[in-house]
Amino acid sequence: MIDKTVADNRLLHGGDYNPDQWLDYPEILKDDLRLMKLAKANTFTLGVFAWSALEPTEGEFQFDWLDERIEAIYQMGGRVILATPSGARPAWMSKKYPEVLRTTENRMKMLHGGRHNHCFSSPIYREKVAIINRKLAERYGNHPALLMWHISNEYSGDCHCELCQDNFRNWLKKKYGTLDKLNHAWWGPFWSHTITDWLEVESPSSIGESMVHGLNLDWKRFVTDQTIDFYKHEIVPLREISPSIPITTNFMADTHDLIPFQSLNYSEFAKHVDIVSWDCYPAWHNDWEETKDLAAKVGFINDLYRSLKQQPFLIMESTPSGVNWHDVNKTKRPGMHLLSSMQFIAHGSDSVLYFQWRKSRGSSEKFHGAVVDHDNSETNRVFQEVSAVGGALEKIAEVKGTHKQARVAIVYDWENNWALNDAQGFSDSTKQYPQTLQKHYQSFWKKDISVDIVTLNQELASYDLVIAPMLYMMSLDTISKLENYVANGGTLVSSYISGLVNETDLAHLSGWPATLKRIFGIDVKETDTLYPKDRNTLTYNGKQYEIKDYCTIFERKEANILATYMEDFYQENPAVVENCYGKGKAYFIGARTEQAFLDDFYEELQKEGNLDSEREILHKEGVSVQRRDSAECYYLFVMNFTEQKQAVTLKESFFDLLTQEIKQEQIELLPYEVRVLKREK
Ligand code: GAL
């Protein structure tokens, strides 16, 4: 029986610990333990890239150093997350078995180097992984320090070697059965691309086929399935030998805009892990957005990863200061470390873990932020702020395992994102599907209304409001799921560029799907893509709002018109409508508007659905309040994401877990200050 909770009643604090880099420095290893206690760190992830230390030559295993470290951490009262080492392999393996190396999309065989670049099909790599994973499980699977398994590291990428091509063809055979079906789904006759033998199928390539959208989509689906298959192969010995230890693998985000990682469909992957964990590296204090706007994006992505399993998740990696791979690697300003760490917890994380415990001395990450710097000092600012986070996590430990409850859901669909990005039409630079969802999310984040970011695999019925903008790819099943949701009383919002193609990226025939016409009470006719400098305007409730990028031209059937276009040949045509359907309601936003429109539009829906009735804390924009619930009480994280002091009004009295005082009426938050307030139900 797998224990799906982390068997530790503390919020986890610590992170990636790489003693294998320091085996020649015994005094450093000794000092680590002293510093770990001072940092109030309790959990360490070992072995992530340790294969060459664990198996320096083929078949010769060295575990003494790991035995010693795990025991030392345990004796100190700490716990261990143990990684399988497949994220990077020793040089001897690449040299002896070149099959383990990846082939790129332009059919170039890689040399040894870097990491995250093995072939997922290679029988030899799979065999080597099975051997080392079994050894780790046999040796540590029942060690009392072991909290969790961490499989590989940030799975990503694809391999285009002959073994992978064969696997892809078999995957396609299983999916389509016949070439006729495959050719239909891929629209084969276009440019004479009809396939007459399975062996003619090749993965997408810049030196070959890249324009067949159905092929591109299937390749991405295959890569997700193949990665999950590799992961499932990795965990066989772990499940067998340590069935009660939960298993995770660390997910990631695409940087800059902090949008969901693109190349793997995490909604599929999440089904196979016991706990979702992920690595979060926002560019705080950047020069392109305000702190509060970035904070909302951090909220969005954490809510997405939390919603994948609708249970607390883990932050597996974050940085105590700066990273080394942003364009500019700015360090966190005083106070930001505590605030941003508490934000993880506020959105449902049960951990604040770092990459990495000690800064490497050499190679590419020697200047990446870490808890312990090259000065090995506990007095520097970063270490002090980390230990303050450790102290705060101890004070709020009772939050662990509590849940977030949301009545609003925003739909994020990985496959839709793939298909939409591939679509040649619209505008490459302005599609921005995930960024668009972030904007819709902002209108709720500003009001402290909890939101789940759900995928189409999930049930919608429990939500009062479901927001599904830019759902370009809609299968008939998706359409009927949305129809049921509205017919049974739900409120649905959709937008421009929705419902245009089916699940194999073929356009729906006979215009916009008939069911969508009925739900929204309109008939979509055209999508006008604007140049970046073009603008239009809509009027809504007597106010005017700017429009850019996309305008849908549609005919109203049964719907009520809420807003109309003011310019261009579709002037006075409807831009936003509302339609009663069954027991519910559906809204269609035809154009990409400025944020103020979304805020005002959703304010109406929030009032109508009584969605912000529970607000007990009043504040100005830039302060965020997030709630977690246990059966007996609830916790409000009040976070100031501005560079100014903020006055905050409490409508009830609360117990402040960080200061251990009762707080009521007015409180003042310093720049970047956070409070964790508790109240009995
Ligand atoms: C992560 C990775 C770590 C480390 C870190 C630096 O993506 O898993 O091993 O490289 O980035 O930020």
Side-chain angles (χ1 to χ4, degrees):
M1 182 52 199
I2 301 154
D3 178 359
K4 296 212 164 111
T5 60
V6 181
D8 191 316
N9 51 16
R10 298 173 291 193
L11 289 161
L12 309 186
H13 186 226
D16 276 28
Y17 178 37
N18 299 301
D20 39 311
Q21 293 177 21
W22 298 95
L23 296 179
D24 295 336
Y25 295 73
E27 68 292 354
I28 293 263
L29 294 178
K30 192 158 160 241
D31 222 25
D32 277 336
L33 298 168
R34 181 183 70 83
L35 292 167
M36 284 169 178
K37 279 190 225 151
L38 289 176
K40 300 192 171 57
N42 54 40
T43 304
F44 295 92
T45 309
L46 282 117
V48 176
F49 296 115
W51 204 334
S52 66
L54 292 170
E55 193 181 358
T57 57
E58 188 172 11
E60 181 229 329
F61 295 92
Q62 285 187 3
F63 292 110
D64 296 358
W65 64 271
L66 190 54
D67 293 350
E68 188 279 327
R69 280 293 90 179
I70 292 182
E71 195 53 37
I73 289 169
Y74 185 57
Q75 292 308 328
M76 186 191 76
R79 293 289 180 275
V80 164
I81 298 173
L82 191 56
T84 64
S86 66
R89 62 192 169 273
W92 58 257
M93 197 187 298
S94 311
K95 183 97 182 136
K96 183 161 177 198
Y97 307 106
E99 160 193 307
V100 303
L101 299 168
R102 230 170 241 189
T103 299
T104 60
E105 60 78 26
N106 56 0
R107 308 309 192 250
M108 201 174 70
K109 184 84 181 167
M110 300 281 284
L111 298 177
H112 179 78
R115 57 177 175 170
H116 302 149
N117 52 12
H118 51 272
C119 169
F120 288 114
S121 301
S122 159
I124 291 172
Y125 200 60
R126 285 182 175 231
E127 186 194 322
K128 293 293 176 200
V129 164
I131 294 170
I132 188 106
N133 289 7
R134 180 165 293 278
K135 294 227 176 258
L136 288 170
E138 284 167 353
R139 202 165 182 101
Y140 306 109
N142 294 306
H143 195 293
L146 182 65
L147 209 52
M148 201 181 330
W149 290 109
H150 174 299
I151 308 305
S152 201
N153 189 65
E154 295 186 339
Y155 281 117
S156 63
D158 53 11
C159 172
H160 298 253
C161 72
E162 273 314 310
L163 293 167
C164 289
Q165 302 293 346
D166 276 350
N167 283 340
F168 181 42
R169 289 174 195 131
N170 289 334
W171 184 92
L172 290 168
K173 277 184 205 161
K174 200 160 154 211
K175 173 165 183 180
Y176 292 106
T178 67
L179 283 173
D180 280 349
K181 285 197 178 136
L182 176 128
N183 281 318
H184 182 260
W186 291 3
W187 211 239
F190 176 79
W191 288 355
S192 226
H193 283 179
T194 303
I195 305 271
T196 54
D197 184 324
W198 292 101
L199 286 174
E200 293 164 16
V201 172
E202 279 277 343
S203 60
S205 169
S206 55
I207 58 164
E209 189 62 85
S210 63
M211 300 291 194
V212 176
H213 293 169
L215 162 65
N216 295 346
L217 194 55
D218 276 337
W219 174 252
K220 292 194 172 83
R221 288 172 171 144
F222 163 74
V223 170
T224 290
D225 284 357
Q226 192 195 30
T227 308
I228 294 172
D229 185 66
F230 188 87
Y231 159 90
K232 282 162 80 179
H233 169 77
E234 284 220 39
I235 69 173
V236 169
L238 316 182
R239 283 274 194 251
E240 187 189 311
I241 296 165
S242 56
S244 64
I245 300 294
I247 298 184
T248 189
T249 183
N250 49 342
F251 292 167
M252 50 184 152
D254 275 1
T255 55
H256 199 274
D257 271 347
L258 217 59
I259 58 175
F261 183 61
Q262 311 275 294
S263 341
L264 290 173
N265 182 347
Y266 284 160
S267 64
E268 287 302 314
F269 213 144
K271 293 176 190 165
H272 303 275
V273 300
D274 298 325
I275 298 176
V276 166
S277 67
W278 84 284
D279 304 342
C280 186
Y281 293 104
W284 293 113
H285 322 290
N286 65 50
D287 66 356
W288 66 85
E289 66 196 332
E290 288 185 52
T291 304
K292 66 179 173 49
D293 294 335
L294 176 55
K297 291 178 182 172
V298 177
F300 172 87
I301 188 138
N302 279 292
D303 281 339
L304 169 64
Y305 291 160
R306 172 182 54 76
S307 304
L308 286 172
K309 284 189 101 65
Q310 300 284 5
Q311 66 184 30
F313 63 96
L314 299 177
I315 289 292
M316 188 57 83
E317 291 180 22
S318 61
T319 178
S321 51
V323 296
N324 71 334
W325 47 268
H326 286 160
D327 291 344
V328 173
N329 299 298
K330 197 164 182 172
T331 198
K332 284 178 182 168
R333 273 35 202 160
M336 179 49 88
H337 184 51
L338 179 62
L339 174 67
S340 57
S341 300
M342 288 294 130
Q343 191 191 16
F344 295 144
I345 309 290
H347 284 271
S349 174
D350 276 351
S351 71
V352 176
L353 298 169
Y354 310 115
F355 178 86
Q356 59 179 332
W357 165 251
R358 179 182 284 280
K359 244 180 209 181
S360 302
R361 183 162 186 201
S363 212
S364 81
E365 286 177 335
K366 62 179 172 295
F367 297 120
H368 189 287
V371 179
V372 183
D373 209 328
H374 297 135
D375 65 0
N376 197 46
S377 155
E378 68 267 33
T379 58
N380 70 42
R381 183 180 70 87
V382 170
F383 190 96
Q384 288 293 315
E385 293 206 25
V386 166
S387 100
V389 167
L393 293 173
E394 285 176 2
K395 288 185 182 147
I396 65 164
E398 62 185 82
V399 169
K400 184 172 173 158
T402 59
H403 285 265
K404 285 185 75 74
Q405 291 163 354
R407 293 163 60 201
V408 179
I410 296 180
V411 173
Y412 177 73
D413 181 44
W414 265 269
E415 295 198 350
N416 178 62
N417 190 44
W418 293 336
L420 186 53
N421 281 342
D422 220 18
Q424 291 157 287
F426 315 110
S427 155
D428 286 344
S429 63
T430 60
K431 279 184 209 139
Q432 304 200 322
Y433 166 59
Q435 289 88 342
T436 302
L437 300 192
Q438 289 171 339
K439 298 222 153 68
H440 287 254
Y441 175 87
Q442 265 217 17
S443 304
F444 295 84
W445 184 85
K446 285 177 188 166
K447 298 280 188 68
D448 308 327
I449 298 172
S450 294
V451 177
D452 285 350
I453 316 293
V454 301
T455 65
L456 288 164
N457 291 330
Q458 285 162 264
E459 259 313 311
L460 301 179
S462 65
Y463 297 104
D464 295 334
L465 174 61
V466 170
I467 301 168
M470 295 188 81
L471 207 50
Y472 160 75
M473 190 169 72
M474 282 197 203
S475 65
L476 295 180
D477 283 351
T478 297
I479 293 173
S480 98
K481 182 168 185 164
L482 296 177
E483 183 189 23
N484 281 333
Y485 169 72
V486 182
N488 290 315
T491 300
L492 174 69
V493 177
S494 186
S495 80
Y496 53 95
I497 317 190
S498 287
L500 301 185
V501 298
N502 73 6
E503 68 280 12
T504 63
D505 214 350
L506 294 178
H508 287 296
L509 293 182
S510 315
W512 216 42
T515 311
L516 292 180
K517 288 181 196 163
R518 282 202 307 276
I519 304 174
F520 293 97
I522 58 171
D523 187 5
V524 168
K525 295 295 183 189
E526 282 182 67
T527 304
D528 191 18
T529 302
L530 308 184
Y531 278 96
K533 288 188 185 155
D534 289 341
R535 291 291 180 270
N536 201 323
T537 313
L538 61 73
T539 50
Y540 169 74
N541 275 348
K543 276 167 70 184
Q544 298 188 358
Y545 300 87
E546 192 176 82
I547 290 174
K548 59 179 192 167
D549 300 337
Y550 298 105
C551 296
T552 318
I553 303 164
F554 57 89
E555 254 176 42
R556 179 181 81 93
K557 300 281 188 196
E558 302 80 21
N560 294 326
I561 298 175
L562 299 181
T564 46
Y565 292 111
M566 296 190 68
E567 283 152 47
D568 223 315
F569 70 95
Y570 37 90
Q571 185 178 16
E572 289 178 16
N573 278 22
V576 181
V577 292
E578 145 193 74
N579 190 44
C580 293
Y581 183 78
K583 295 186 198 147
K585 250 190 191 178
Y587 293 83
F588 188 85
I589 304 176
R592 180 169 287 164
T593 65
E594 59 178 303
Q595 184 70 42
F597 169 79
L598 292 178
D599 292 350
D600 291 348
F601 169 79
Y602 283 121
E603 188 168 271
E604 293 293 314
L605 267 56
Q606 288 156 3
K607 275 192 221 145
E608 206 172 301
N610 236 345
L611 295 173
D612 68 350
S613 59
E614 284 168 15
R615 284 185 88 186
E616 296 165 310
I617 298 195
L618 305 178
H619 56 79
K620 294 217 177 98
E621 200 175 321
V623 173
S624 162
V625 180
Q626 289 290 326
R627 173 172 170 155
R628 285 180 75 160
D629 276 75
S630 72
E632 306 78 33
C633 43
Y634 60 94
Y635 304 88
L636 297 177
F637 291 72
V638 189
M639 300 170 280
N640 180 5
F641 287 103
T642 73
E643 284 68 29
Q644 291 80 41
K645 286 184 188 166
Q646 294 286 347
V648 168
T649 307
L650 311 181
K651 294 207 294 204
E652 307 284 354
S653 69
F654 291 91
F655 184 69
D656 184 332
L657 287 179
L658 293 177
T659 61
Q660 302 279 303
E661 292 161 354
I662 304 226
K663 290 274 158 48
Q664 52 200 1
E665 294 168 1
Q666 286 282 326
I667 55 170
E668 187 179 70
L669 294 184
L670 298 173
Y672 302 151
E673 195 176 359
V674 54
R675 299 286 169 90
V676 184
L677 305 178
K678 172 183 176 180
R679 194 172 158 80
E680 309 283 325
K681 281 188 175 166

